[in-house]
């Protein structure tokens, strides 16, 4: 395996030497790239001696560029590992900067990127760092989380570089996974997904909403796109990044979601309605903020029913294969079966919701129900639930 090891500034940089030693011993090729900060902690010569390769550190050094230009260098590895990844490096990478050789290589590659942060515990806990880490992960980068313990600065907490041996085995795992043939079962299929809540405005500042995070629908959209599907995602108001390769249409209310679905359902082979659509809305949104008055102890809102989007799609003659969701707090499967029939769906995914399950969480447990079959999935991440659901649907659509 060809490994490009990026070392940034921090006391943990000395542990990167052990990484190089372990990889070389296992027969891999290692090319080390150091930031200016890293060179304050370890001499490039140490890495050079272990890796048998000249350490690279400059974007503008003619002699270095002569040996292998930085674009060629970005293409060379099978994987890029950043260890230790300093807070500064993560911030620069998040911003897409290319102000030194290492950041430029990370920007100019399509290879798997793995980063192992190491820093003082307060720097690690800082909201800026946490946000940077989350964003990099949402771009598909893999984080090897820092460990807790005594730090070089004398403090105790999370921020120590993961142990070199565990970095080596995790990178090996990631690479063997990446070498597996990707599942392209949805190649050429067109999928329409609704996700998230809808917000029904009462006046310019208030609305009726619900606790749907949108995570399940977004996980489905991402998993389907990864399996080759052409995905249109109609998203209610949620705070989630757009899945890679997915066309996203943002809406706020049930009526807006209905309009977007009507414009898109006919081009889809499958529709999955994971949105928690509000059942009711106010007929007329107040033009100005509704005032509270001293003599009024009660306020009555009159609500009108929203159209049932998925039931509408299921009635169309050119309808796709329609999959709904039934989030219930009790008697989940029976309610779901009733809903499958009443709405005329091809399939329904039932799940229990309530404190700590289903909504707002990263895990879920779906029961997949068609007219003839009921399959209970095991509790797992929403991504894994999405993959199991997509496999089940595509088998059904094929038969
Ligand atoms: O009736 P209920 O809201 O429990 O049904 C849930 C299923 O119906 C989900 O798939 C949801 O996306 C869909 N739905 C819809 N339009 C509505 C209400 C629910 O598409 N107005």
């Amino acid at each position: 395996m060809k490994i490009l090891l990026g070392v940034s500034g921090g006391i943990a940089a000395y542990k990167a030497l052990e990484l190089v030693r372990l990889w070389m011993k296992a027969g891999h090729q290692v090319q080390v790239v150091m930031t200016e900060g890293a060179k304050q902690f370890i001499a490039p010569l140490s890495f050079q001696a272990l890796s048998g390769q000249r350490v690279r550190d400059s974007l503008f050094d003619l002699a270095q560029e002569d040996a292998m230009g930085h674009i060629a260098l970005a293409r060379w590895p099978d994987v890029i590992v950043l260890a230790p990844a300093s807070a500064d490096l993560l911030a620069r990478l998040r911003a897409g900067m290319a102000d030194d050789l290492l950041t430029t290589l990370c920007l100019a590659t399509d290879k798997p990127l793995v980063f192992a942060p190491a820093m003082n515990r307060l720097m690690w806990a800082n909201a800026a760092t946490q946000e940077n880490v989350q964003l990099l992960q949402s771009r598909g980068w893999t984080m090897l989380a820092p460990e807790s313990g005594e730090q070089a600065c004398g403090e105790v907490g999370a921020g120590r570089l993961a142990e070199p041996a565990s970095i080596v085995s995790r990178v090996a795992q990631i690479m063997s996974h990446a070498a597996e043939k990707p599942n392209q079962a949805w190649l050429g299929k067109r999928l329409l997904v609704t996700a998230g809540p809808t917000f029904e405005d009462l006046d310019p500042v208030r609305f009726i909403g619900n606790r749907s995070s949108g995570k399940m629908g977004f996980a489905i959209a991402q998993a389907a796109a990864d399996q080759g599907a052409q995905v249109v995602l109609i998203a209610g108001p949620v705070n989630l990044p757009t899945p890679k390769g997915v066309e996203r249409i943002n809406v706020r209310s049930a009526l807006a979601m209905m309009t977007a679905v009507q414009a898109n359902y006919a081009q889809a082979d499958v529709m999955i309605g994971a949105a928690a659509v509000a059942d009711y809305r106010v007929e007329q949104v107040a033009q100005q903020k509704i005032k509270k008055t001293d003599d009024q102890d009660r306020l009555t809102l009159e609500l009108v029913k929203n159209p049932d989007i998925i039931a509408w799609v299921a009635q169309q003659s050119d309808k796709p294969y329609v999959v709904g969701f039934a989030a219930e707090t009790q008697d989940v499967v029976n309610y779901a079966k009733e809903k499958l029939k009443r709405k005329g769906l091809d399939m329904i995914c039932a799940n229990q919701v309530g404190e700590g399950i289903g909504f707002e969480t990263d895990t879920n447990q779906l029961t997949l129900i068609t007219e003839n079959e009921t399959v209970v999935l095991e509790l797992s991440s929403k991504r894994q639930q999405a993959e199991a659901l997509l496999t089940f649907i595509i088998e059904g659509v094929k038969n």
Side-chain angles (χ1 to χ4, degrees):
M1 187 161 60
K2 291 187 248 169
I3 301 164
L4 193 145
L5 173 63
V7 183
S8 58
I11 187 68
Y14 77 91
K15 289 193 187 170
L17 291 171
E18 175 67 0
L19 270 178
V20 178
R21 196 185 67 78
L22 290 171
W23 277 324
M24 293 301 292
K25 206 171 119 193
H28 301 302
Q29 295 178 57
V30 183
Q31 169 69 61
V32 177
V33 175
M34 297 178 82
T35 63
E36 279 306 306
K39 291 192 288 179
Q40 303 296 322
F41 291 88
I42 301 279
L45 198 57
S46 305
F47 284 111
Q48 192 161 309
L50 283 171
S51 68
Q53 301 280 348
R54 242 187 101 171
V55 169
R56 299 286 299 259
D57 59 4
S58 170
L59 196 50
F60 303 114
D61 181 317
L62 285 180
Q64 289 192 8
E65 278 290 296
D66 239 15
M68 194 193 307
H70 62 272
I71 296 296
L73 186 58
R75 292 211 186 105
W76 173 82
D78 299 309
V79 59
I80 296 184
V81 181
L82 307 172
S86 65
D88 175 69
L89 179 65
L90 297 178
R92 289 188 293 134
L93 292 169
R94 179 241 165 101
M97 286 172 74
D99 56 347
D100 65 3
L101 179 63
L102 185 55
T103 49
T104 303
L105 293 174
C106 292
L107 204 60
T109 188
D110 55 2
K111 301 295 166 53
L113 262 147
V114 179
F115 63 105
M119 64 198 75
N120 164 272
R121 67 181 175 96
L122 291 174
M123 290 171 81
W124 172 247
N126 192 292
T129 305
Q130 290 300 315
E131 234 182 65
N132 293 339
V133 163
Q134 274 181 22
L135 199 108
L136 293 172
Q137 286 177 295
S138 77
R139 290 181 191 154
W141 296 22
T142 306
M143 179 182 62
L144 306 185
E147 293 173 1
S148 278
E150 200 170 323
Q151 300 203 295
C153 51
E155 296 181 12
V156 177
R160 277 165 51 139
L161 184 71
E163 282 307 317
S166 98
I167 295 179
V168 166
S169 72
R170 286 288 309 281
V171 169
Q173 235 176 28
I174 292 162
M175 294 314 287
S176 68
H177 201 69
E180 284 167 19
K181 215 163 153 264
N183 172 0
Q184 290 286 287
W186 279 68
L187 193 66
K189 290 275 178 289
R190 293 162 306 175
L191 173 67
L192 177 65
V193 183
T194 66
T198 64
F199 285 177
E200 308 301 326
D201 287 335
L202 305 178
D203 67 18
V205 293
R206 304 185 183 95
F207 60 86
I208 299 174
N210 64 65
R211 293 171 61 166
S212 167
S213 64
K215 285 179 181 168
M216 191 65 232
F218 275 60
I220 292 170
Q222 182 66 79
D226 290 348
Q227 292 186 28
Q230 227 177 298
V231 184
V232 176
L233 171 63
I234 300 177
V238 291
N239 193 8
L240 293 173
T242 305
K244 229 182 0 197
V246 167
E247 181 188 338
R248 174 176 183 170
I249 301 171
N250 286 326
V251 296
R252 183 171 169 84
S253 64
L255 287 184
M257 187 172 277
M258 179 74 171
T259 306
V261 167
Q262 285 175 329
N264 285 281
Y265 82 91
Q267 292 91 50
D269 301 303
V270 176
M271 170 183 173
I272 301 179
V277 185
D279 292 327
Y280 294 92
R281 68 177 187 279
V282 288
E283 193 154 33
Q284 279 296 331
V285 179
Q287 292 288 313
Q288 306 298 335
K289 187 178 164 192
I290 300 169
K291 288 285 175 207
K292 139 180 99 186
T293 57
D294 284 344
D295 58 340
Q296 224 184 354
D297 283 341
R298 285 165 188 270
L299 173 71
T300 306
L301 287 173
E302 195 171 64
L303 303 177
V304 294
K305 212 177 210 161
N306 273 326
D308 192 313
I309 302 169
I310 208 162
W312 180 88
V313 173
Q315 277 166 11
Q316 306 309 304
S317 57
D318 55 350
K319 74 171 198 69
Y321 185 88
V322 185
V323 181
F325 268 76
E328 302 287 350
T329 53
Q330 54 171 351
D331 204 6
V332 178
V333 171
N334 282 334
Y335 277 123
K337 283 186 175 160
E338 180 274 324
K339 213 166 279 182
L340 176 81
K341 280 214 184 74
R342 176 164 46 86
K343 298 191 185 218
L345 309 177
D346 297 297
M347 180 177 158
I348 196 153
C349 312
N351 68 316
Q352 179 108 18
V353 289
E355 280 311 311
I357 36 175
F359 271 179
E360 296 166 341
T361 64
D362 291 319
T363 56
N364 210 350
Q365 180 169 24
L366 299 177
T367 301
L368 313 181
I369 302 167
T370 61
E371 203 187 341
N372 310 316
E373 241 180 318
T374 298
V375 175
V376 185
L377 300 181
E378 276 180 30
L379 179 77
S380 65
S381 71
K382 287 185 172 170
R383 169 72 191 209
Q384 284 164 322
Q385 299 284 305
E387 285 174 2
L389 165 63
L390 290 170
T391 302
F392 189 82
I393 295 173
I394 207 71
E395 292 303 320
V397 170
K398 266 193 271 170
N399 297 332

